[in-house]
Amino acid sequence: MNLNTEDKARIKRDQARDAIALALASRWEEAVVLNCEIVEDFPRDVEAYNRLGKALSELGQYKEAKVAFRQALGISPTNGIARKNLQRLAHLNEEGAAPKHGSKVPPKLFIEERGKTATVSLKKLP
């Protein structure tokens, strides 16, 4: 089945939304699976690699998380999110740790990259 560009963009957007929801609900194993699917279909998706790295680090899989963040930096060398997470992981044991269990994660715990969004006012709409 051949998908056009619009369909691919919609699928990518829907998967990203679902991956974010899984992370916010602390469903890390599912987040890893979904983000792996996204990077398989969209191998240049920096945000998916960052989400994958975050999910892996929450599961205590630090070595794999570093690989994901390095992939993000390989695509976008100036990516602040991947760089900051790699710095954070540099101080942790690569062998891994026990996965964190808990309820929902507050969104403020995620590293943000400023300048990625904007608000535009539309004028003279038909």
Side-chain angles (χ1 to χ4, degrees):
M1 177 170 86
N2 288 334
L3 298 175
N4 63 33
T5 305
E6 186 177 308
D7 289 336
K8 288 180 183 178
R10 181 184 48 76
I11 290 168
K12 181 178 176 182
R13 185 178 57 248
D14 290 347
Q15 287 179 320
R17 182 195 65 233
D18 293 344
I20 291 167
L22 289 170
L24 289 173
S26 297
R27 293 167 53 188
W28 301 115
E29 294 89 358
E30 295 170 76
V32 167
V33 171
L34 182 53
N35 283 300
C36 283
E37 290 174 10
I38 295 170
V39 298
E40 186 176 313
D41 294 337
F42 304 97
R44 305 232 1 117
D45 188 341
V46 175
E47 288 83 11
Y49 280 111
N50 282 330
R51 288 190 305 268
L52 177 60
K54 174 65 175 171
L56 290 165
S57 67
E58 290 294 327
L59 291 172
Q61 299 175 14
Y62 302 137
K63 186 176 181 181
E64 294 85 354
K66 288 179 184 180
V67 170
F69 290 127
R70 285 187 188 118
Q71 286 287 102
L73 283 176
I75 297 166
S76 175
T78 60
N79 186 276
I81 294 171
R83 191 170 309 286
K84 288 176 187 176
N85 277 302
L86 278 172
Q87 289 171 352
R88 181 185 296 168
L89 289 172
H91 297 64
L92 300 174
N93 182 1
E94 267 196 20
E95 298 301 316
K100 299 174 186 175
H101 296 287
S103 58
K104 291 186 176 184
V105 175
K108 67 182 181 181
L109 292 180
F110 291 89
I111 295 176
E112 295 180 6
E113 186 173 7
R114 299 197 185 274
K116 293 285 272 185
T117 61
T119 303
V120 178
S121 298
L122 301 176
K123 298 178 181 179
K124 297 183 182 180
L125 294 173

